Amino acid sequence: MAAAVHPKRQSATNTIINAGTSAGVVLSGPVALLMGGQWRLAFACFAVAAFVMAVVAALSVPSGTKATQTSGGLPPFNSVIMRLIAAAFLMGASSTAIWSFGGKLVALQLGWSNTGAGLLWIAIGAAGIVGAGAGTLVARFGIDRVHWLFLGALAAGILLVGTSVTYWPSSEACCSVLLTSW
């Protein structure tokens, strides 16, 4: 990104790139639901597409940027880096509850079907796309405030999945909401 994006746009561009993963999750949910038992084939096609895009990106971005030429190695291993590592580890470990076990949780605790679990993945992906605005929010409100806001949203999401507060409306309720919105 240092080679292809102006420095003032790098934060916003980085969040959009990271939100691309969420767009993939949103897309994979309906595909998995439509493919039924053949979802692994669809995901294999997604993997091939990702590999092709990685090759295209590697060939398109110039090498030997200032960022790679002036890199001085690892940052000093001090208390600031230790806190950053701990925060990244805890955030990743806590989000694993949703990524690894979310579908199983809603199936066991709430009695959701595979369709409901698929829709959960679509909702998770859609929420991740909202994260594309993080760079803009950081520029406006600062990294600390935005980080705490997103940590709070992550914690709320984890708490809501699988609790009795969360429910899945019946198909009749979904249909009536769709029909009344027309």
Side-chain angles (χ1 to χ4, degrees):
M1 186 171 52
V5 179
H6 191 275
K8 289 183 179 180
R9 298 283 309 145
Q10 286 180 3
S11 289
T13 302
N14 193 38
T15 58
I16 291 169
I17 290 168
N18 290 331
T21 302
S22 297
V25 172
V26 169
L27 177 64
S28 67
V31 169
L33 292 173
L34 291 172
M35 298 287 290
Q38 297 298 319
W39 65 269
R40 287 174 184 83
L41 175 63
F43 283 34
C45 291
F46 288 147
V48 169
F51 178 76
V52 169
M53 295 307 293
V55 170
V56 168
L59 296 174
S60 300
V61 176
S63 62
T65 65
K66 286 183 185 179
T68 58
Q69 292 172 352
T70 61
S71 177
L74 294 175
F77 202 67
N78 57 24
S79 64
V80 174
I81 294 296
M82 290 297 292
R83 286 194 316 267
L84 179 63
I85 291 169
F89 176 80
L90 291 171
M91 193 168 180
S94 61
S95 67
T96 298
I98 296 294
W99 287 111
S100 299
F101 309 114
K104 192 69 145 178
L105 274 171
V106 295
L108 292 174
Q109 298 286 36
L110 302 174
W112 289 14
S113 66
N114 286 339
T115 302
L119 293 173
L120 171 68
W121 293 118
I122 294 169
I124 290 170
I129 291 172
V130 172
T136 304
L137 291 174
V138 166
R140 183 173 176 142
F141 300 109
I143 189 122
D144 287 341
R145 287 183 182 161
V146 174
H147 187 228
W148 281 108
L149 173 71
F150 278 66
L151 283 175
L154 175 64
I158 291 169
L159 289 172
L160 286 173
V161 172
T163 65
S164 60
V165 176
T166 309
Y167 73 97
W168 182 248
S170 67
S171 58
E172 294 83 17
C174 289
C175 291
S176 68
V177 168
L178 289 174
L179 290 175
T180 57
S181 66
W182 285 89

